[in-house]
Amino acid sequence: MLTNGGCPKTALSIKDALEALEGRWKLLILFALSTGPLRFKQISKQVPGITDKTLSKELKALESNKLILRTVYDTFPPTVEYTITTHGMSLEKVMEELHYWGLAHRKEIMDRPS
Amino acid sequence: MLTNGGCPKTALSIKDALEALEGRWKLLILFALSTGPLRFKQISKQVPGITDKTLSKELKALESNKLILRTVYDTFPPTVEYTITTHGMSLEKVMEELHYWGLAHRKEIMDRPS
């Protein structure tokens, strides 16, 4: 049985989390940024399959949820870097559990025919 | 620093997990089913805001990923029940971490003005 299984208040906080992290890209972008600040094109390379349009939209959503910081350096031409915030780094355990579960899921789906 | 931060193999398993759990509903449906088997209308009540069409689509996706079982009982009219599988229950830690993070996120977003 899950901790607080079915409890409406627990469901609410899970819903909050899922809304902030919605879609298949946000956690992957944060994971890429977890090793250090990156520029747009560098993130794009580390998140295979994402289009520039989607990456741009997702970065804005992550910024508005205080999960990343966008810094513009006064160079010529200007340099823009994205950095994960402390709040973004607090998703470490979520990402770790998703990683372990993803491994188990691949095994489950491949090993047992329906 | 995240465990294996940025590692492509870890990113792959996180991607697998996110694809299986995509959207804002699947984990909430699984959370509702974590207390025991439910019928369609009962799930619908426990997941506020979900439409019947979306719930139907999400239940099929969860079934094909072996996260829930659909059982048809030979009554008149037939009764259909949904049960979480052992594989579905293995998401316990993911849900717990999302719950804790959701609480922290609400505090972060509400307490600190941009």
Side-chain angles (χ1 to χ4, degrees), chain A residues 64-106:
Chain A
S64 76
N65 270 314
K66 299 180 187 173
L67 297 168
I68 61 168
L69 265 183
R70 182 178 183 273
T71 314
V72 185
Y73 291 101
D74 189 16
T75 53
F76 184 81
T79 319
V80 182
E81 249 185 15
Y82 297 90
T83 314
I84 193 166
T85 60
T86 313
H87 185 43
M89 286 299 278
S90 75
L91 280 160
E92 174 173 13
K93 283 187 181 170
V94 170
M95 288 195 236
E96 250 182 44
E97 292 304 337
L98 278 171
H99 159 57
Y100 294 130
W101 189 82
L103 289 175
H105 179 59
R106 176 164 283 219

Side-chain angles (χ1 to χ4, degrees), chain A residues 20-21 25-27 29-30 33 57-69 91:
Chain A
L21 307 171
W25 300 114
K26 291 189 185 70
L27 280 172
I29 295 167
L30 292 173
L33 287 172
K57 197 189 69 177
E58 296 291 35
L59 288 170
K60 274 182 195 143
L62 288 170
E63 204 189 346
S64 76
N65 270 314
K66 299 180 187 173
L67 297 168
I68 61 168
L69 265 183
L91 280 160

Side-chain angles (χ1 to χ4, degrees), chain A residues 17-27 58, chain B residues 23-25:
Chain A
L18 293 176
E19 281 174 11
L21 307 171
E22 198 169 13
R24 63 175 70 183
W25 300 114
K26 291 189 185 70
L27 280 172
E58 296 291 35
Chain B
R24 64 174 70 184
W25 301 114

Side-chain angles (χ1 to χ4, degrees), chain B:
Chain B
M1 195 62 63
L2 290 188
T3 317
N4 299 321
C7 161
K9 275 197 181 172
T10 307
L12 196 67
S13 57
I14 294 177
K15 196 176 182 182
D16 281 348
L18 293 175
E19 280 174 12
L21 307 171
E22 197 169 14
R24 64 174 70 184
W25 301 114
K26 290 188 185 70
L27 280 172
L28 293 174
I29 295 167
L30 291 173
F31 186 69
L33 287 172
S34 67
T35 47
L38 293 174
R39 296 172 64 172
F40 189 94
K41 280 290 168 202
Q42 293 172 316
I43 304 173
S44 173
K45 263 192 197 164
Q46 287 198 35
V47 183
I50 197 165
T51 62
D52 282 0
K53 195 181 160 187
T54 303
L55 178 52
S56 176
K57 196 188 69 177
E58 296 290 36
L59 287 171
K60 273 181 196 143
L62 289 170
E63 206 190 344
S64 76
N65 271 313
K66 299 181 186 173
L67 296 168
I68 62 167
L69 265 183
R70 183 179 183 271
T71 315
V72 184
Y73 291 100
D74 189 16
T75 52
F76 183 83
T79 318
V80 181
E81 250 185 14
Y82 297 90
T83 314
I84 193 168
T85 60
T86 313
H87 184 46
M89 285 300 277
S90 74
L91 281 160
E92 175 173 14
K93 283 188 182 170
V94 170
M95 288 195 238
E96 251 183 43
E97 292 303 337
L98 278 171
H99 160 57
Y100 293 129
W101 189 83
L103 289 175
H105 180 61
R106 175 165 286 218
K107 208 168 175 307
E108 179 80 19
I109 291 296
M110 285 189 165
D111 290 1
R112 296 190 204 171
S114 297

Side-chain angles (χ1 to χ4, degrees), chain A residues 24-60:
Chain A
R24 63 175 70 183
W25 300 114
K26 291 189 185 70
L27 280 172
L28 293 175
I29 295 167
L30 292 173
F31 187 69
L33 287 172
S34 68
T35 47
L38 294 174
R39 296 172 65 172
F40 189 94
K41 281 290 168 201
Q42 293 171 316
I43 304 172
S44 173
K45 264 192 196 164
Q46 287 198 35
V47 183
I50 198 165
T51 62
D52 282 1
K53 195 181 161 188
T54 303
L55 178 53
S56 174
K57 197 189 69 177
E58 296 291 35
L59 288 170
K60 274 182 195 143

